[in-house]
Amino acid sequence: MKSASSPVHRAAILPSPIFLWRFKVMLFLIWGIGCCKIGWESVLRMGVDLRDLFLYEAFLYYNPLLLVTMMVWLWGVNLWVFSQGSANYAKIFDLDQNHLTHHEIWKAITFPDFFLADILTSMAKVFSDLERSICRMVHRQVATIAWFEADSVCGSHSIAIPLVLVFPYLCRLLQCLRQYKDTKEKTTLLNALKYSTAVPVIFLSALKYHVFPHKWSSVYRPLWLLSSVINSLYSFYWDVTRDWDLSGFSRIFKFNKPSFFSNLLYGRQWIYFWVIGSNLILRCTWTYKLSAHLRHNHLTVFAVAVLEMLRRFQWIFFRVESEWNKITKSSFQLPTSEMLKEDEKLKLLASTNHDI
């Protein structure tokens, strides 16, 4: 009797998993706030020049890592919403063990490949900052005055910056061309054209540091403004008309179990006005980050990068739903076609029996 009741007694003593989770979160917050307080007090003890140098170094090193962490966390929120609804995200993203092996890498490009590449285009500035950090470490420019020299090998005038910024867009462009080769769909060429419009925005902006000022003001700056408008409006048009399915209320926010978020978002018209309006504004401000000559205000650039992550976060909901709608429609159409084939076989069999 004593041995039989002891496990139940021990289970009653153990705290609940929810309590343990809250306790861990509380300890983490206390630790994080304490570290931030100690660090900030140390920064305030520095001289003005040393403080500016330290803050600039810390910003350049840690802001890309912070943005990556933020994007991963937002992706976790996306997956939680998908798990609460009817969309089978495992089927949408083709989650199998062989997808990224050498057996699959040379096969036709699928939706997960497009999806990941689209997210990476929103992180172009992150890759650029990582390149600058690695460059400064390799050339031993950490904690030196070279941090502030724009013409140094790792400065803001470096030709490597536009090359890194354009790399995700070129990858997505090549994906579209590969898709056209596999499917012969003309819409893939129009999608490739959309990504190609980011190339002049990036390189025309970088030309400011390599041409005469009057040449920039009279020739290249108007071309940069024109290419920026084309890229922003074209990308916005493609988001709304191609990437998203706005023909009805989003089923992504229709959870299997009623909740506060489901009641707040599902079937509400305001969410569509919000997502379309905010997407247009943030598509235009995103040009700020792609332009090297507008990146001197680091806090503004960081804020624009955070807003771009949030824009991509809400973009994911409607893009995944659009893909899920395509999958469900195709699954419904397939049995119908098979039923028609069966009916034709039965009619043919009946006619042959009648002739006999």
Side-chain angles (χ1 to χ4, degrees), residues 52-265:
D52 293 340
L53 182 62
F54 172 80
L55 292 177
Y56 186 75
E57 287 190 46
F59 176 82
L60 186 60
Y61 276 113
Y62 291 107
N63 96 85
L65 301 178
L66 178 61
L67 292 174
V68 170
T69 303
M70 176 182 173
M71 192 69 242
V72 172
W73 186 83
L74 291 175
W75 173 241
V77 177
N78 289 129
L79 292 181
W80 177 79
V81 173
F82 299 153
S83 66
Q84 301 299 313
S86 58
N88 186 353
Y89 66 88
K91 184 176 182 180
I92 293 173
F93 293 105
D94 191 21
L95 298 180
D96 59 83
Q97 297 179 351
N98 298 321
H99 181 66
L100 295 180
T101 64
H102 64 281
H103 298 292
E104 298 284 330
I105 197 169
W106 298 113
K107 291 187 177 181
I109 301 175
T110 58
F111 173 75
D113 306 311
F114 301 139
F115 185 83
L116 178 60
D118 278 327
I119 293 178
L120 294 181
T121 59
S122 293
M123 303 179 70
K125 174 62 169 53
V126 175
F127 300 140
S128 176
D129 287 343
L130 286 174
E131 182 274 332
R132 292 186 67 190
S133 300
I134 295 173
C135 178
R136 293 183 185 279
M137 287 187 289
V138 171
H139 291 87
R140 299 181 180 180
Q141 294 184 0
V142 179
T144 64
I145 196 63
W147 278 98
F148 300 103
E149 295 177 357
D151 293 326
S152 64
V153 66
C154 303
S156 59
H157 297 182
S158 173
I159 192 61
I161 292 178
L163 293 177
V164 175
L165 286 173
V166 81
F167 180 73
Y169 294 91
L170 291 180
C171 292
R172 192 66 184 88
L173 172 64
L174 294 176
Q175 281 185 339
C176 294
L177 296 179
R178 171 61 188 272
Q179 188 182 17
Y180 175 75
K181 178 184 177 182
D182 295 336
T183 63
K184 303 300 180 183
E185 295 180 1
K186 294 182 178 180
T187 54
T188 58
L189 294 179
L190 297 176
N191 198 16
L193 180 62
K194 180 191 73 172
Y195 293 102
S196 67
T197 59
V199 177
V201 176
I202 296 172
F203 284 101
L204 285 174
S205 173
L207 278 177
K208 180 181 179 181
Y209 305 118
H210 304 282
V211 297
F212 293 108
H214 71 276
K215 200 75 171 177
W216 163 256
S217 301
S218 61
V219 179
Y220 295 110
R221 188 173 185 273
L223 290 176
W224 169 78
L225 288 173
L226 178 62
S227 60
S228 299
V229 171
I230 293 174
N231 173 257
S232 299
L233 296 182
Y234 196 172
S235 301
F236 169 74
Y237 167 80
W238 198 271
D239 285 340
V240 176
T241 61
R242 299 288 183 174
D243 286 345
W244 298 345
D245 180 15
L246 301 180
S247 58
F249 290 118
S250 176
R251 293 181 298 167
I252 288 291
F253 304 117
K254 186 179 181 181
F255 293 174
N256 296 324
K257 296 180 180 180
S259 66
F260 171 77
F261 293 102
S262 180
N263 296 331
L264 179 64
L265 300 176

